[in-house]
């Protein structure tokens, strides 16, 4: 049989496969989401995310040194806020001495090169578990944007490198950018959660922060998973408003969105491999149904292949160890 295009020739040996490889995953691609709680010497396991913990600040500092030594260059910070500090205004979110602000400072003091990207949204601070201020069961847009601006300025003052709004309010990127410029934070960037879908894959994260919405769902601000063109619109708006990096979230089931954006936008795209994606791989691996290490590397490499420059992943530490050999 004469076959002119034997595609298998390029798969014959590992060396050939290495030579023609299109995508190479490295620790430079990773951001690690970290969960922080009040207290000292606390390391609390999150049952729906085996291997992931909520740490108090003292232990977080140790952890961050280790992350840096593994080659992880960025952290996304999420705090668990005491119930007594929650209300409907979210005002604890811009307390200059709040847990988030202390965490940002402490990490920058310990590992100044670490890129610190605190989450901006009101849900951990909200008695309703919603990302914004609530009135008559509605999540108010403009009032929430004012709160997010205060929150962002307090993060910048604490030393954040990037503000990372995950709330999906309209107009918040422009408002945050303007406030940063006006207050001398020209070099603080914005990584906007530009195309963030209302997703069932956030379940374990809400366990970690005890931040599940108290009523309803987040469909009036997060996107409908049936839509792709809307994601392009959202993302282009955020870029116009001054976003330096745009995020698609979740990852695995949404890589078509990443691939489409990659063709259209010229800013770096980040992807959030969310808590539910982590939990699925971990649960299957714990049952012996798939190979933990291979599934981690494959899932992350495929996210990169789709067009992501940065990947926020709970596997960052494990993957760094695998890649470092
Ligand atoms: C909330 C926020 C969520 C996540 C990141 N920021 C949850 C939500 O929108 O309800 C989810 C991350 C994950 O599942 O890993 N602003």
């Amino acid at each position: 049989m004469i076959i002119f295009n034997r595609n298998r020739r390029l798969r014959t040996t590992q060396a050939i496969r290495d030579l023609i490889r299109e995508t190479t995953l490295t620790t430079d691609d990773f951001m690690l989401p970290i969960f922080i709680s009040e207290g000292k010497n606390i390391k609390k396991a999150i049952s729906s995310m085996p291997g992931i913990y909520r740490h108090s600040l003292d232990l977080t500092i140790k952890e961050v040194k280790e992350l840096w030594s593994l080659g992880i260059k960025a952290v996304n910070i999420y705090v668990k806020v005491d119930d007594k500090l929650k209300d409907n205004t979210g005002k604890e979110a811009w307390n200059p001495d709040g847990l988030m602000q202390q965490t940002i400072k402490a990490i920058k003091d310990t590992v100044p090169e670490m890129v610190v990207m605190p989450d901006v949204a009101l849900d951990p601070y909200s008695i309703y578990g919603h990302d914004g201020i609530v009135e008559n069961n509605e999540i108010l847009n403009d009032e929430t944007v004012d709160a997010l601006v205060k929150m962002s300025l307090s993060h910048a003052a604490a030393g954040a490198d990037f503000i990372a709004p995950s709330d999906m309010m309209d107009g918040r990127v422009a408002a945050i950018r303007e406030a940063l410029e006006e207050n001398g934070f020209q070099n603080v960037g914005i990584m906007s959660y530009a195309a963030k879908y209302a997703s069932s894959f956030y379940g374990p994260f809400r366990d970690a922060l005890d931040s599940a919405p108290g009523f309803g769902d987040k469909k009036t601000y997060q996107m409908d998973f049936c839509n792709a063109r809307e994601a392009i619109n959202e993302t282009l708006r955020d870029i116009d408003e001054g976003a330096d990096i745009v995020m698609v979230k979740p990852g695995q089931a949404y890589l078509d969105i990443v691939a489409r954006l990659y063709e259209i936008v010229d800013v770096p795209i980040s992807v959030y491999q969310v808590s539910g994606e982590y939990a699925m791989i971990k649960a299957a691996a714990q049952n012996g149904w798939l190979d933990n290490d291979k599934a981690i590397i494959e899932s992350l490499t495929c996210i990169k292949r789709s067009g992501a420059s940065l990947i926020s992943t709970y596997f960052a530490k494990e993957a760094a160890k695998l890649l470092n050999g």
Side-chain angles (χ1 to χ4, degrees), residues 12 50 57 84 90 97 100 120 127 162 188 194 203 252 262 273 279 309:
T12 314
L57 187 46
K84 61 179 187 307
D97 301 316
M100 175 63 97
V120 167
I127 38 170
F162 280 82
V188 174
Q252 189 145 335
Y262 188 80
Q273 185 185 49
S309 303

Side-chain angles (χ1 to χ4, degrees), residues 78 119 121 123 131 166 196 201-202 205-206 218 222 249 272 274-275 314:
Y78 303 91
D119 181 58
D123 50 323
D131 290 29
S166 70
K196 176 172 175 180
F201 292 99
Y202 306 150
F205 174 97
R206 294 174 186 170
K218 299 194 174 183
Q222 299 179 351
K249 174 184 176 186
Y272 200 142
V274 299
S275 56
Y314 300 96

Side-chain angles (χ1 to χ4, degrees), residues 86-226:
K86 297 185 184 185
D87 62 19
N88 187 31
T89 67
K91 65 179 182 310
E92 175 61 16
W94 55 92
N95 174 358
D97 301 316
L99 182 58
M100 175 63 97
Q101 289 76 3
Q102 285 180 38
T103 303
I104 297 168
K105 271 187 212 125
I107 295 176
K108 292 305 283 185
D109 286 347
T110 314
V111 187
E113 304 95 324
M114 182 64 85
V115 179
V116 170
M117 302 176 153
D119 181 58
V120 167
L122 295 186
D123 50 323
Y125 302 92
S126 160
I127 38 170
Y128 300 111
H130 274 290
D131 290 29
I133 296 166
V134 176
E135 198 179 279
N136 300 328
N137 283 356
E138 192 188 322
I139 315 318
L140 302 178
N141 192 85
D142 301 14
E143 291 79 352
T144 300
V145 170
D146 291 342
L148 298 175
V149 166
K150 290 183 216 162
M151 188 176 181
S152 301
L153 287 174
S154 80
H155 292 178
D161 298 286
F162 280 82
I163 304 300
S166 70
D167 53 285
M168 291 296 281
M169 298 301 124
D170 289 322
R172 92 279 206 218
V173 173
I176 293 169
R177 184 70 265 159
E178 203 177 329
L180 290 172
E181 293 294 313
E182 283 171 0
N183 287 277
F185 299 118
Q186 288 85 351
N187 289 331
V188 174
I190 298 177
M191 177 174 76
S192 78
Y193 290 57
K196 176 172 175 180
Y197 287 86
S199 170
S200 57
F201 292 99
Y202 306 150
F205 174 97
R206 294 174 186 170
D207 294 343
L209 293 189
D210 189 18
S211 65
F215 69 88
D217 51 39
K218 299 194 174 183
K219 288 181 185 169
T220 64
Y221 45 109
Q222 299 179 351
M223 285 182 43
D224 181 349
F225 57 73
C226 305

Side-chain angles (χ1 to χ4, degrees), residues 240-300:
D240 277 351
E241 291 184 22
D244 302 284
I245 301 172
V246 289
M247 180 186 275
V248 174
K249 174 184 176 186
Q252 189 145 335
Y254 295 81
L255 298 185
D256 59 320
I257 310 296
V258 181
R260 284 173 74 163
L261 284 175
Y262 188 80
E263 300 300 326
I264 298 172
V265 308
D266 296 321
V267 302
I269 301 170
S270 63
V271 166
Y272 200 142
Q273 185 185 49
V274 299
S275 56
E277 299 176 66
Y278 177 88
M280 285 195 299
I281 290 179
K282 277 292 166 198
Q286 283 184 345
N287 275 295
W289 295 339
L290 51 73
D291 181 304
N292 181 72
D293 297 357
K294 287 182 178 158
I296 292 173
I297 297 300
E298 180 180 336
S299 67
L300 293 169

